[in-house]
Structure formats: structure tokens, C-alpha cells
Amino acid sequence: MENSMIKNLPPLSYLSPSAISFLDSKHHAGDDLQQAPSLLLELQTECHNLDQSLLDLNQKLQNSLIAYASHGDRIGVLFGYINAQLINLQSSTCVSGSSSDGGSEHILGEELPALAKEVARVETVRMYAETALKLDSLIGDIEDAVSSTLNRNLGNRASTRTSEEMRLVAIKTLKLTEEILNSVTKTRPQWARLVSAVDHRVDRALAILRPQAIADHRGLLSSLGWPPPLSTLVSSNLDPKRSSEAPNPLLTMQGDLKHLYCENFLALLSLQELQRQRKSRQLVAKDREIAMHQPLWAIEELVNPISIASQRHFSKWVDKPEFIFALVYKITRDYVDSMDELLQPLVDEAMLSGYSCKEEWISAMVMSLSTYLAKEIFPIYVSQLDEESATGTLSRARILWLHLVDLMTAFDKRVQSLANSGILLFLQEDGNLQKISSLSVFCDRPDWLDLWAEIELNEIFDKLKLEIEDERIWLLEVQGSAIMSDPEDYKSPAIASIFLQRLSSVVDRCRSLPSISLRSRFVRLAGVPIIQKFMNCLLLRCQEAEGLTALTDDDALSKVTKSINAARYFESVLKELCEDVLFLEMGLNQCDLLGIQVGESNGSGGSVGGSESCILDEEIGKLEEFRIEWVEKLSTVVLRGFDARCRDYMKNRKQWQEKVEEGWTVTKSFVGALDYLEGKMSVLEGGLNGMDFVGVWRSLATGLDRFLFNGILMGNVKLYDGGVQRLGNDLTVLFGAFQAWCLRPEGFFPKVSESLKLLKMGEKQLRNSLEVGERWLKENGIRHLSATEVEKIVKNRVYIS
């Protein structure tokens, strides 16, 4: 008897995918069929409860409609009363002479404003009631539609088509409700409680509707055969000779199944757009931008099962991460066309602005890879570094880490090329770049970025150690540079080019990072120490040369000049590097973080090379200070040697009273000093770059001018006519030593030149100068001597009558 009461299930084609999935989950084996009566009883109880809830909702709707009708009758009575009052007011104002001026003023001043206020209040109440009732009706429709889809999922025999139609009805009603709420929020902000109450009920409906839509979408994907089998892709990844042709389930689906999938895809898009609109209304300021663009749910549902299936293979390739990147790129590339062909038209139909299925697919695949790297690969590599650091050997762990970063960088370039094919200007913003960059793992883990920078820096320092100790590299000059656009000959040793190549490798590394702040951080951690190391090497060599010979030896001078040349060349390259877009962006970001407007940075550490703010400004400034300091030391050393060879010349006061020897154009005791000067300047000119050599000879000219002026003209030396002639001859030869570097060398010896000019004046003209003073000095072109100095020179001038 019991067997006769058992009913067979309908044909499989009449069951929805979710019903099939439900039955499969409850009946794994034949023994599970014995639990069917209890399961049936449980389902019938739930259906009974839901039917009772539906009856309650219908009763609630009926009561609301009755209340609305009653409220409408009361509003009609109020409007009738107001209409009667307006008629009475009109009749009272039309009867001329029937009331006094005082009565008119009473009506216009008191009764009319009160009546207008009452009309406005009643109108507001009416609008509020209508809006509330309309929203209540819409929410009722939404809850009915959601309840219908829920009943279908719990086992009712409603068709899948009916369920999708009810979901679309619910979504359409939700959109209409959101439009009303958006209008109320803008025009009636005082109705915040009404909006909050409606939002609460909409949230409850969406909490049921979205999981249902996603569950149905997953069921459809499963029936389509998604995710595609990865075994073929894995085997082709390991053996490129094997064919990897596998059908794409998205392109092979046909008929009703394809139509049903497209409708479900559109439903997810519509739900997401509705959610975006609601968040945009509820959030303000920067939070609103976050709500404007979120990953597409439907694309995530395509990627998640692939990601789960792929990780089973990834776990075998921890020591061969190149296979992981190759497989992810192959999957991304093989299915990217179906995104444009099949799914993008659906996104356009749903009117989701700013969304590209191709970009969303690539972004989701890259983010799944980044998540796996952050959870599984990087922790292993970090632990290996920790273990090897305890033993003092870091070679293998460093190699694995740098190899992984190389793979990530190469993968990002390939993916970005794939994303940019046919899409212009997609990667202009950091936010877009982060979405399709596996290096975005460092955005959430800056400590890993610091570790990477430390590894890079240690590797570079290990390679530089041997090169720094090779003296030949310090002697060999750089033969041009691809980095520099300036044709200036810097005479720089090759060591500067080697350091710049290492710095350039760090800069190239940081270009791959998906964020300006990360690039800036990486350059500071791995790039700036290279510059500091270079400056320390230059300073050490100069100090060694100074300590051994006090720079009196030509070899020591050559050593210092090469260091200055290297600093000049390095500084010029850094200034040109600061004009690169990469460093300009980092500089602007630095100003934003510090709250500095562009154009405000100035002073000692300010604008360098036309750049308003560069993260290398401090290092450029230190290189400049180093050059200036040692250029001054070179001129000081030459001046000191000149002074040592001029002691007899300076001590011989008698020579300024005697005539010049016949056949001599220069004083004998001055010849040795001039010869020393020309010899040292020849060494410096041959070894020093042109720009810094200008600083040397100008500084030396200033020092010589001060030295001769203080030693002779301010030394209480009596100058006769022969002494003036001797001084003029000696200065002419001295000026001639500087003739090769300027047209008017006397201009760089202002004090001795103007003193000689005074000494050559006639006695009468000089005596008059004491009476005229400052005015006389200006008229005779004496600008670099004070009145006191002129007075002293004139007093020491002796004329023989």
C-alpha cells in the first residue's frame, strides 16, 4: 500500500538547476531515500509557513489600502474647508466699501499668511502621505517578488523562467524605489526617517535576492561546464609542443541555456548597479568614489572557480613559480576574447558606465594570483630568508626572491600589454595599474617592499665592492653616456658610470610598482643609499690624497680632480633624472603628503635643475657642496704654494724703490712663483672638467688679488716710479697667465688693478683725490677700493721731482 502512494519525480528537464542541486546534496546514496518522508514533511512545513507569511503580507497590504482611503477622505474634507475659506476671502475683498481700511490690513497682515502657512502644511502632509504609501506599495511588491523566488528555491514547482521573471520584476521595482528615495534625499532631507525605514526593508530584500541570484548563476555555470578543464592547459604549459585547444564553454552554449545565462548575468549586473546607486546616495566625499567602481560580481563568479582549481596545481610549483605565472597568463589570454564578444554587450545593455569586461576579467585573474602569492609563496620565501640569515648565508634565498620579483615584473608587462590592446590610456592612474599588477602585493605589505629593497641593495653593494677597489676603473674615463643628453665633457672616471648603472637598475625596478608612494619608498630605500655610497667613496679618496701629501703632489691633485669630475657628472645625471616623469610624479606626491603647493619649494634644498621638488634634491645638494668644497681646496693649495715661492719677493721692500733691470720684464724672484702657478694650473686644466676648472681659476684669481694687495699695497711699502713700473710688469705677466681663460683677466684682480691705476696717476691728480674723496673715486672708476685704502696707497706713493 505504501509503495502505491509513492510518486515518481518529474522528468529531469522539468526541474530547475537549483532543485537538481538540492536533491543531489540530500541523496548521495540509496540509503538516503529512507529519509525522503521526513524531508518531505520538513519542506511542507516550511512551505506552509511561507504561505502563512504571504497571507499576512496580503492582509497588511489590504489594511494599508483601507488606511490610505480613509486618510484620503480626511484630506478631501480639509481641502473643501480651505476652498470655502478662499471663496469667503474673495467675496469679502470684492465688496467695495463694505469694510474699512483697518479690516483690509487685518486680513492681509494676519489671516492671509496664516492661511497660506496652513495650505503649505496640508500640502506637505499630503505629499508625505502619498510618498509613504507609494513606497510602501513598492516595498510590498518587492517583498512579494522575493518571496516568490524564495518559494521556488525551497522546492515549489514554479518554472525557472517564472523565477527569473519575478527576479527581474523585483529589480525593476527596486530601481523605481531607489529613484524615489534619491529624489526625496535631495528635495526633502527632513524626511530622513522615512528614507531610513525604506532602506532597512530594501536591505532585507537584497540580503535574500543577491545570494539567490549568485547561487542560480553558479548553478548555471556548473551546468555549462565551467570552469573549463585545466589539465590540458597545465600539460601544454609544461610541454609547449602539446596542443592546448580546449572548447570555451561561454562560446559553445546554445539555445535556452544561453538565453537563461544572459538573463541571469544581466540580473547580477542590474543588482550591482542598484547597489552602486544606493551606496553613492548614502556615502559622501571620498567614500563615494569607492562606491562608484567595484569589481563586477558576475566576472568574479567566473574567476573564483578557476582560481580554486588552479591552486591545486600551484601547490606543486612552489619552487617553480614560473609555471604559476605561465598558467595564469595562458588562462587570462585564452578566455579574454569571449569577454568582449559575449559579455561586453550585456554590460552595455545594462548601462554600466566605466566597465569593461576585458579589464574586469584581467583584473580579477591578476588579483587572484596576487592573493595566492601573498598567502602561500611570499611567506615561504620570507621564512627561508629568516632561516638563512640565522646561519649567515643568504645567497639562495636572495636569488629565489629576486627571481620571483623578475617573474612578477615580466608577467605584469605581458598582462598590461594584453589589457592595453585596443584600450587607450587605461593605465594612466595608479588605481587602474594596481588592479592588473601582481606587484600590488606590496601595497598591503610595505614590510615586504622594505625587505625587497634591502636584498636589491645588498646585491648591488656586493657587486660594487670589487669594482670600487679596482684602481683602473678610477683612472679610465667615461666614453659618453646614453643617460646624458648634455654634450659637455665631464672627464669623469668610469666608476661614476658603474654607480649610475646600478642606480638605473633600481629606477627601472621601481617603474614596475603600481603606486607612486611605493616607487618613492623603493627609490629612497634602494636608490639613495647607492648615491650616498658613491659620495662616501669620493670623499674617502680625496681625504686620503690630502692626508698623504697635503695635495702638493700632482698625483694627489689628479686624484682629487677625478673625484670632482665624477661628482659633477653624477650630479648632472641626477638633475636630468629628476626631469623624468617618474620623478616628477614622486615629487608632486611628496608635496601633496607634506601639504606643499607646487612652486613653494625653494631655499637651500629647493628647486634643482628646474624641478620644483625631487626626492633626490638632498643628495644633489650634497654632491654640489662636495664639489665646491674641494674646488676651494684646490685653489687654496695652489695659492699656498704660490705664497711659499713669493716669500723673498714679498719681503724685498727695497725693490720697489729701484729701477727695473735691463732685459727683464718681470722680477727674478717672481718668476719661480709664476712658473709654479702655470704648472699647477696646467695640471688642473688637463685633469678637471671645464665647469669646475672655471671655479678653480676664478677662486685662485680672487685669492691672488687679495694676497698681492695685502702683502704689497697694504704693507706700508714705499713705491717709487721704478717700483710702480716693476709692479705693472709683474702684474702684466700674472694677468697673462689667465689670458687663456678670459678676455680681460685684470677684471678678476680688481683691487691690484685699481691700485696700479692709482699709482700710475700724476702727483697732482692724486693729491686732489684726498680733497674730493668718494666722489672723485666714482668719477675715476675706482669701485673696489675704500677711501681708507686709497688714502693709504696714495701716502705710500713716492714721486721724485
Side-chain angles (χ1 to χ4, degrees), residues 86-139:
L86 290 174
I87 293 173
N88 294 336
L89 178 62
Q90 182 180 10
S91 61
S92 63
T93 55
C94 291
V95 179
S96 60
S98 60
S99 62
S100 63
D101 293 340
S104 299
E105 291 177 357
H106 176 73
I107 293 173
L108 294 176
E110 298 182 8
E111 294 184 5
L112 190 57
L115 184 60
K117 185 176 181 180
E118 182 67 18
V119 170
R121 187 187 68 81
V122 172
E123 179 65 16
T124 301
V125 171
R126 183 187 66 82
M127 290 179 61
Y128 183 88
E130 290 183 352
T131 304
L133 290 173
K134 187 173 183 179
L135 288 171
D136 185 72
S137 176
L138 291 173
I139 293 296

Side-chain angles (χ1 to χ4, degrees), residues 611-678:
S611 171
E612 293 295 346
S613 178
C614 180
I615 65 173
L616 303 179
D617 281 354
E618 184 177 352
E619 285 65 38
I620 293 174
K622 288 180 179 179
L623 284 169
E624 186 175 0
E625 291 174 3
F626 169 82
R627 285 191 305 98
I628 294 173
E629 177 185 354
W630 285 94
V631 163
E632 285 290 336
K633 285 191 176 184
L634 289 179
S635 62
T636 301
V637 166
V638 176
L639 183 60
R640 189 186 304 126
F642 185 87
D643 180 16
R645 288 158 180 79
C646 277
R647 286 174 184 172
D648 293 339
Y649 177 76
M650 301 296 289
K651 290 180 180 179
N652 190 358
R653 295 171 175 268
K654 189 177 180 181
Q655 66 182 340
W656 307 114
Q657 303 174 14
E658 299 173 349
K659 294 183 179 180
V660 179
E661 299 89 338
E662 294 184 4
W664 288 87
T665 58
V666 62
T667 305
K668 294 179 182 180
S669 57
F670 197 55
V671 172
L674 290 174
D675 184 61
Y676 168 83
L677 177 66
E678 290 181 348

Side-chain angles (χ1 to χ4, degrees), residues 175-210:
K175 287 184 177 180
L176 181 58
T177 304
E178 180 59 29
E179 291 176 2
I180 296 175
L181 290 177
N182 192 38
S183 176
V184 169
T185 302
K186 294 178 179 178
T187 59
R188 302 285 181 175
Q190 66 273 23
W191 295 356
R193 290 187 178 181
L194 174 63
V195 174
S196 177
V198 175
D199 274 339
H200 178 67
R201 294 178 66 181
V202 169
D203 287 337
R204 288 192 302 178
L206 288 174
I208 300 174
L209 198 60
R210 179 187 171 185

Side-chain angles (χ1 to χ4, degrees), residues 455-465 502-503 505-506 526 530:
I455 294 173
E456 289 280 358
L457 189 60
N458 289 334
E459 287 290 309
I460 290 173
F461 281 172
D462 289 344
K463 295 176 182 177
L464 284 173
K465 185 176 181 180
R502 305 303 181 193
L503 178 63
S505 67
V506 171
I530 297 175

